[in-house]
């Protein structure tokens, strides 16, 4: 059977998907090498990281976050934006102890796959298809604990995107006074209508999935005055876009029943994101200039794509390995040809939970991922 989510490798000797000396990569390397930290900068730049989600596609941005942490780039960012599953990844990114980033990444192939998060038959029983109680109470609560307090108090600010149903617009939550407040916003931002019934109510707002109306996150970062933005995408790079589909229109009609005008706002957001995907690709070839500078990293066009509702742990793990390698190649200046030809591969140190807490299976607890790179 043909896998419709897979494309053929690109033609040509060595196609380019970003400028290896992009200003965003340059400032990240410079800050890492100089030991720069938030609140103790030697430059006037404001550098942002934006983390996309999308259900199980969040495994892609989680893998890239893991690579950035392991390569020493976490302190290079001044602010981190997250949407939906990407907001959870961002919170883990800011709160995990150094060297343990593979531990929270493992939730995607150990805890959320196999139908434990997404339950296809539950709507037939009048229940939600997306089991947020399992995600927040069991996985993030006890299996792979997320330190909400550490994420809320991180030196680099965290911004969590949600959708304000009554206002019909994106609400960016920030400056969380406690970990519990952050947890409430993360849960609100992970409530896609239809998959989860109802909404979260925080400070008088009716809040649902942050991805519903959100523009591409780099726009929010630029509006906040960021000079450099690294955008982690979870959809593979495409030269053409299918645009708004019949399924999108059907979902828009459902949203309009929640609040009049929400459906058209959703379709407008889809069109903006479609147009900005092309713009992001072009911005990846920027050179020195006044800025602001934006670089997007995403899975290559020829890879198998993780879908929102994927439950196959093998497929998810393959996507994780590829996404980690993409981020590694970009930050360390390795050509895309090595990715295409299979000369860069990641070997993750799988995290498990034991009596003494998280540890790495068959590896030292401070390990991360081994990258085998051939320049031949």
């Amino acid at each position: 059977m043909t896998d419709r989510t897979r494309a053929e490798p690109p033609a040509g000797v060595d196609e380019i998907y970003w400028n290896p000396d992009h200003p965003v990569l340059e400032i990240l390397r410079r800050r890492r090498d100089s030991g720069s930290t938030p609140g103790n900068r030697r430059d006037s730049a404001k550098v942002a990281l934006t983390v996309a989600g999308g259900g199980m596609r969040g495994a892609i941005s989680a893998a890239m976050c893991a690579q950035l942490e392991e390569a020493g780039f976490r302190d290079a960012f001044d602010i981190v934006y997250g949407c939906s599953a990407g907001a959870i990844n961002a919170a883990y990114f800011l709160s995990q102890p150094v060297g343990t980033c593979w531990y929270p990444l493992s939730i995607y192939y150990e805890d959320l796959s196999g139908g434990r998060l997404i339950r296809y038959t539950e709507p037939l029983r009048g229940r939600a298809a997306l089991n947020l109680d399992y995600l927040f109470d069991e996985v993030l609560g006890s299996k792979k604990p997320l330190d909400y307090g550490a994420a809320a108090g991180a030196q680099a600010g965290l911004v969590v995107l949600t959708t304000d149903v009554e206002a019909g617009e994106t609400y960016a939550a920030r400056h969380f006074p406690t970990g519990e407040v952050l947890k409430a916003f993360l849960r609100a931002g992970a409530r896609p209508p239809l998959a989860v019934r109802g909404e979260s109510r925080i400070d008088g707002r009716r809040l649902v999935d942050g991805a519903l109306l959100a523009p591409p996150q780099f726009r929010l970062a630029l509006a906040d005055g960021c000079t450099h933005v690294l955008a982690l995408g979870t959809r593979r790079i495409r030269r053409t876009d299918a645009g708004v589909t019949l399924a999108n229109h059907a979902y828009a009609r459902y949203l309009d029943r929640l609040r009049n005008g929400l459906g058209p706002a959703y379709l407008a957001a889809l069109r903006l994101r479609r147009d900005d995907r092309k713009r992001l690709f072009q911005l990846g070839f920027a050179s020195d200039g006044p800025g602001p500078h934006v670089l997007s990293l995403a899975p290559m066009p020829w890879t198998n794509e993780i879908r929102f509702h994927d439950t196959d742990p093998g497929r998810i793990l393959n996507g994780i390995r590829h996404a980690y390698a993409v981020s590694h190649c970009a930050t360390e200046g390795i050509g895309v040809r090595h990715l295409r030809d299979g000369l860069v591969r990641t070997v993750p140190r799988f995290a498990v939970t034991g009596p003494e807490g998280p540890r790495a299976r068959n590896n030292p607890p401070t390990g991360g991922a081994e990258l085998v790179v051939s320049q031949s």
Side-chain angles (χ1 to χ4, degrees):
M1 181 180 294
T2 302
D3 186 347
R4 295 183 179 180
T5 65
R6 184 176 177 83
E8 290 302 316
V13 177
D14 192 9
E15 291 200 1
I16 305 298
Y17 291 90
W18 58 78
N19 174 8
D21 298 317
H22 194 283
V24 171
L25 297 175
E26 289 293 323
I27 196 167
L28 289 177
R29 294 164 185 158
R30 187 163 62 248
R31 284 185 168 187
R32 176 188 62 179
D33 297 343
S34 66
S36 176
T37 59
N40 185 30
R41 302 294 190 200
R42 300 176 183 176
D43 58 62
S44 59
K46 184 177 181 181
V47 183
L49 176 69
T50 70
V51 189
M56 296 304 292
R57 284 199 304 271
I60 296 297
S61 57
M64 293 181 179
C65 283
Q67 187 278 328
L68 291 171
E69 193 280 327
E70 289 190 342
F73 290 108
R74 180 163 65 182
D75 286 340
F77 297 101
D78 301 299
I79 187 167
V80 181
Y81 299 78
C83 188
S84 189
I88 296 173
N89 294 341
Y92 269 128
F93 176 71
L94 291 174
S95 63
Q96 276 298 115
V98 173
T100 63
C101 53
W102 277 104
Y103 168 61
L105 173 59
S106 69
I107 69 174
Y108 286 97
Y109 53 84
E110 285 191 339
D111 304 299
L112 303 184
S113 60
R116 283 167 285 188
L117 175 66
I118 301 173
R119 308 167 301 179
Y120 294 104
T121 61
E122 290 303 291
L124 300 177
R125 302 182 177 91
R127 302 171 186 168
L130 194 62
N131 190 350
L132 290 186
D133 289 339
Y134 170 70
L135 172 60
F136 282 90
D137 297 342
E138 292 189 42
V139 180
L140 276 61
S142 57
K143 289 187 174 183
K144 310 285 172 64
L146 172 55
D147 190 339
Y148 296 101
Q155 285 186 298
L158 174 62
V159 180
V160 177
L161 303 188
T162 62
T163 298
D164 187 325
V165 175
E166 291 299 333
E169 63 185 19
T170 297
Y171 176 68
R174 60 185 85 206
H175 307 307
F176 309 98
T178 67
E180 284 302 312
V181 172
L182 172 59
K183 179 181 179 180
F185 276 107
L186 288 175
R187 183 165 184 139
R191 297 182 69 100
L194 195 60
V196 180
R197 296 186 176 184
E199 63 273 326
S200 294
R201 294 182 179 269
I202 305 175
D203 296 334
R205 300 176 185 270
R206 295 172 56 201
L207 302 176
V208 295
D209 184 23
L212 198 64
L213 305 180
Q217 294 181 70
F218 79 89
R219 286 180 172 269
L220 300 176
L222 297 182
D224 282 344
C226 294
T227 60
H228 298 73
V229 182
L230 180 63
L232 306 183
T234 58
R235 293 181 180 273
R236 68 187 179 197
I237 296 171
R238 290 177 173 86
R239 296 193 179 280
T240 59
D241 198 302
V244 179
T245 66
L246 291 176
N248 295 143
H249 281 284
Y251 191 46
R253 289 194 293 272
Y254 169 79
L255 293 175
D256 229 27
R257 293 198 294 270
L258 295 181
R259 179 192 176 279
N260 187 36
L262 198 59
Y266 161 72
L267 294 176
L270 283 180
R271 294 186 181 99
L272 177 61
R273 288 197 289 267
R274 176 196 61 193
D275 293 342
D276 272 353
R277 276 196 288 272
K278 300 176 184 177
R279 184 184 175 199
L280 277 172
F281 186 76
Q282 295 169 345
L283 289 171
F285 298 95
S287 57
D288 290 337
H293 304 287
V294 181
L295 173 65
S296 175
L297 299 181
M300 294 293 99
W302 61 87
T303 60
N304 288 326
E305 187 167 60
I306 296 178
R307 295 161 293 192
F308 178 94
H309 55 277
D310 258 319
T311 59
D312 180 1
R315 184 186 184 93
I316 293 166
L317 187 52
N318 284 336
I320 283 172
R321 286 172 170 149
H322 173 77
Y324 189 104
V326 167
S327 187
H328 173 79
C329 286
T331 57
E332 304 305 327
I334 299 173
V336 171
R337 177 176 62 86
H338 295 86
L339 269 177
R340 185 196 62 205
D341 295 344
L343 301 178
V344 178
R345 59 186 186 273
T346 58
V347 185
R349 298 186 173 192
F350 304 93
V352 296
T353 302
E356 299 176 356
R359 67 183 188 278
R361 182 184 298 140
N362 299 325
N363 289 279
T366 57
E370 176 189 2
L371 280 131
V372 182
V373 182
S374 171
Q375 301 292 346
S376 60

